[in-house]
Amino acid sequence: EIVLTQSPGTLSLSPGERATLSCRASQSVSSSYLAWYQQKPGQAPRLLIYGASSRATGIPDRFSGSGSGTDFTLTISRLEPEDFAVYYCQQYGSSLLSPFGQGTRLEIK
Amino acid sequence: EVQLVESGGGLVQPGGSLRLSCAASGFTFSSYWMHWVRQAPGKGLVWVSRINSDGSSTSYADSVKGRFTISRDNAKNTLYLQMNSLRAEDTAVYYCARLGRGCDYWGQGTLVTVSS
């Protein structure tokens, strides 16, 4: 069973700064099936990145994903006020299980 | 417009049962795998179960295996989650999600509270 570990648990930054979020898998994950989601309070999650590096429809280009194997990264190049939220990674696809990481809370410094 | 609308949540006693539904519209439901994901109050997202497009293959998180059953009715464009032997730790908002390239569409969630 794959376990996804996200770091840091909380990231405190200011608008305009660059955010780097990490997702590490306990075993190799196909890059084709690694996704990132954003969730704001009281809302359903929103897909940001699929296939480790492809932006979902309507997602601004300040969001980018990278990585392969066991290490994946979500980068937000210049934080906007609306980007402060909780971010999750997920392994999906045809394997049996589709776990999420525990989340990274991005808060305003 | 793609829409997923969950229903069936509510208050249930420990050991009880509940069936959640997820009504899909705006896309060819029978072509997509579907997932259930839950979120306990103030906690993170937890994957629960998934089903393939024709319902012939399912999988479950260890925490619900043997107690929950995912199913679908492609004629009714509806996804289900039958939850039996409910425990306090099953208290959560339950979301259904469409698996496209990632879980690209989500419902608004339905709250299940397990308490005496």
Side-chain angles (χ1 to χ4, degrees), chain A residues 62-74:
Chain A
R62 65 180 181 272
F63 290 91
S64 63
S66 63
S68 64
T70 59
D71 289 294
F72 298 87
T73 300
L74 174 69

Side-chain angles (χ1 to χ4, degrees), chain A residues 1 35 37 39 42-47 49-51 56 88 90-103 105, chain B residues 33 35 37 39 42-47 50 57-62 65 95 99-109:
Chain A
E1 177 184 342
Y37 303 86
Q39 188 181 33
Q43 297 183 14
R46 176 173 74 144
L47 176 67
I49 301 289
Y50 65 90
Y88 297 93
Q90 183 200 23
Q91 187 275 143
Y92 62 98
S94 60
S95 62
L96 284 179
L97 307 179
S98 298
F100 289 88
Q102 82 279 18
R105 180 177 304 278
Chain B
W33 293 30
H35 289 241
V37 176
Q39 187 169 37
K43 303 297 184 182
L45 301 175
V46 175
W47 176 80
R50 68 100 175 128
S57 174
T58 60
S59 62
Y60 300 90
D62 286 346
K65 196 175 299 182
Y95 296 99
L99 180 62
R101 292 175 176 175
C103 289
D104 54 0
Y105 286 93
W106 296 66
Q108 83 290 348

